[in-house]
Amino acid sequence: MNRGEVHVEQSSAAQESFRAVEWRDGALQLLDQRLLPQREEYLTLKTAPDVAQAIHDMAVRGAPAIGIAAAYGVVLAARAAWQRAGNGWREAIEADLAHLAAARPTAVNLRWAIKRMRGRFNAIQGEPEAALLAEARAIHDEDRAANFKMARLGAGWLPPDAAVLTHCNAGALATGGYGTALGVIRAAHARGALKAVYVNETRPWLQGARLTAWELLRDGIPVTLLADAAAAHLMATRGIDCVIVGADRIAANGDTANKIGTYMLALSARAHGVKFMVVAPGSTFDLSLDSGRDIPVEARDAAEVLRHGGRPVAAAGATAWNPVFDVTPAGLIDVIVTEKGLIERPDAARVAAVIGG
Ligand code: MRU
């Protein structure tokens, strides 16, 4: 593998033609990802329960973006708690924090962000909003900066002229900006090091077809979509070099939860001699879990499988099982790219060496 340095320019306007999550005029603005790519509409949220609902309903999704949205949700919760209870805001805020934390179970960034916001509480005197907004903005900015670092490291790890396959959406839509897996793809494309980008459509929610294709095409990066079931055939017949995915939670031994179908891709990649790269910031690691066995896997409404675009696609009377994440064992992962460094052939010792433990 070529581990050459790749220069990634953080300030280029071309890197960000939209903001999926933004604090504006005292409220949280979210690009409603349920409507893309047909409509680009923004939600303006002014209460923490509304933020929790938007996370649950996937108006905002992707582990780091969920964490950032929750951090701004804590700001809104603190504003309301201060209005209700004045100096008693620390007790008054708890119900909203519990509501936010329960919005989605798998992405650990959600709980990580709430915990980090909570860490500011004790030092605050008087009205809490300004101090908490500064912390939420710091979480947002740090995530974006981490993505640029990971993009540089990950693109340097890829072989020249690589054909890559990604799954779901781990891009600017799913993060504070630029993206994790898509950050690596953007950086590799910018230095002319990509032969092809294949994108799984990602049933049932179609994050690949609707969101990843939209994001990459906006940046002029050609995309070839495939049905998820075509991935093994793609690897067998088209010379894929690397699968690049994001993560929702990584256990202490490197086992990685990500969008349903990722595990299948990792198995297939190993069978075909294709490299498998996970790209995720430190906030996605859950060192309290020894292995992926203990990662909670979200199951969503069967209707997401049985219906599409508001219309039934399954025979009437069929039931469906809809786990929306799976866990890829660390042994199938060649490298985890973090802002703190690369973790090659991850295991507990190598994760601890880079992330701490
Ligand atoms: O259900 P989603 O769309 O929130 O799932 C998103 C993913 O699985 C992403 O790959 C993951 O959160 C990483 S985003 C940088």
Side-chain angles (χ1 to χ4, degrees):
M1 284 286 163
N2 166 22
R3 285 168 185 78
E5 284 281 293
V6 175
H7 180 67
V8 178
E9 178 56 65
Q10 294 203 24
S11 58
S12 161
Q15 284 160 5
E16 221 144 82
S17 56
F18 60 88
R19 300 297 301 259
V21 180
E22 190 166 28
W23 183 266
R24 185 182 290 180
D25 301 331
L28 177 61
Q29 276 215 338
L30 298 176
L31 177 54
D32 190 340
Q33 300 190 32
R34 297 166 300 184
L35 306 179
L36 290 172
Q38 280 81 18
R39 297 200 326 258
E40 288 176 39
E41 289 181 17
Y42 287 82
L43 299 170
T44 301
L45 306 178
K46 296 183 175 162
T47 71
D50 284 350
V51 176
Q53 196 65 47
I55 292 171
H56 179 266
D57 294 347
M58 294 173 67
V60 59
R61 31 70 46 206
I66 290 171
I68 294 161
Y72 289 122
V74 174
V75 178
L76 295 170
R79 178 191 293 166
W82 176 262
Q83 283 164 358
R84 281 198 310 274
N87 283 324
W89 67 270
R90 288 180 188 77
E91 292 74 44
I93 201 174
E94 286 302 330
D96 274 351
L97 296 195
H99 194 174
L100 280 167
R104 289 193 77 188
T106 303
V108 76
N109 307 61
L110 174 61
R111 278 158 207 77
W112 171 88
I114 293 170
K115 188 172 169 200
R116 181 164 153 181
M117 294 295 287
R118 198 189 274 283
R120 296 280 298 157
F121 285 8
N122 277 346
I124 294 174
Q125 287 174 354
E127 197 171 341
E129 183 169 334
L132 292 177
L133 180 57
E135 189 69 359
R137 285 195 196 281
I139 288 173
H140 195 164
D141 292 346
E142 286 167 27
D143 184 70
R144 189 161 175 274
N147 288 338
F148 288 107
K149 282 194 191 151
M150 292 187 284
R152 180 168 53 76
L153 288 172
W157 194 87
L158 290 174
D161 212 25
V164 300
L165 168 63
T166 190
H167 188 62
C168 193
N169 172 267
L173 286 168
T175 62
Y178 203 61
T180 56
L182 295 195
V184 170
I185 288 172
R186 283 190 161 94
H189 174 81
R191 65 165 175 155
L194 283 186
K195 187 162 60 194
V197 180
Y198 292 93
V199 178
N200 274 352
E201 62 175 356
T202 319
R203 278 279 292 156
W205 216 72
L206 299 181
Q207 288 95 328
R210 296 190 306 104
L211 307 179
T212 294
W214 179 81
E215 252 199 76
L216 293 182
L217 290 169
R218 271 174 90 103
D219 279 3
I221 302 175
V223 161
T224 302
L225 279 174
L226 58 148
D228 303 345
H233 184 61
L234 176 83
M235 292 181 201
T237 58
R238 287 211 171 181
I240 294 296
D241 296 290
C242 194
V243 175
I244 309 177
V245 295
D248 281 79
R249 194 184 296 222
I250 302 176
N253 69 345
D255 290 353
T256 294
N258 191 51
K259 180 52 54 192
I260 191 76
T262 302
Y263 176 33
M264 204 162 66
L265 283 181
L267 287 167
S268 190
R270 184 55 56 91
H272 292 94
V274 172
K275 296 292 182 193
F276 194 87
M277 175 191 285
V278 173
V279 190
S283 56
T284 302
F285 285 77
D286 184 351
L287 300 183
S288 75
L289 302 183
D290 290 339
S291 79
R293 267 194 316 275
D294 299 322
I295 297 177
V297 170
E298 177 182 10
R300 291 183 66 88
D301 196 333
E304 290 182 353
V305 174
L306 297 171
R307 304 177 66 82
H308 188 67
R311 299 221 313 266
V313 289
T319 58
W321 181 47
N322 187 21
V324 300
F325 298 100
D326 57 26
V327 178
T328 298
L332 293 175
I333 298 169
D334 292 290
V335 63
I336 303 177
V337 179
T338 81
E339 76 277 29
K340 297 177 180 177
L342 300 174
I343 310 172
E344 294 186 288
R345 286 168 285 107
D347 61 16
R350 294 193 181 106
V351 169
V354 174
I355 299 299

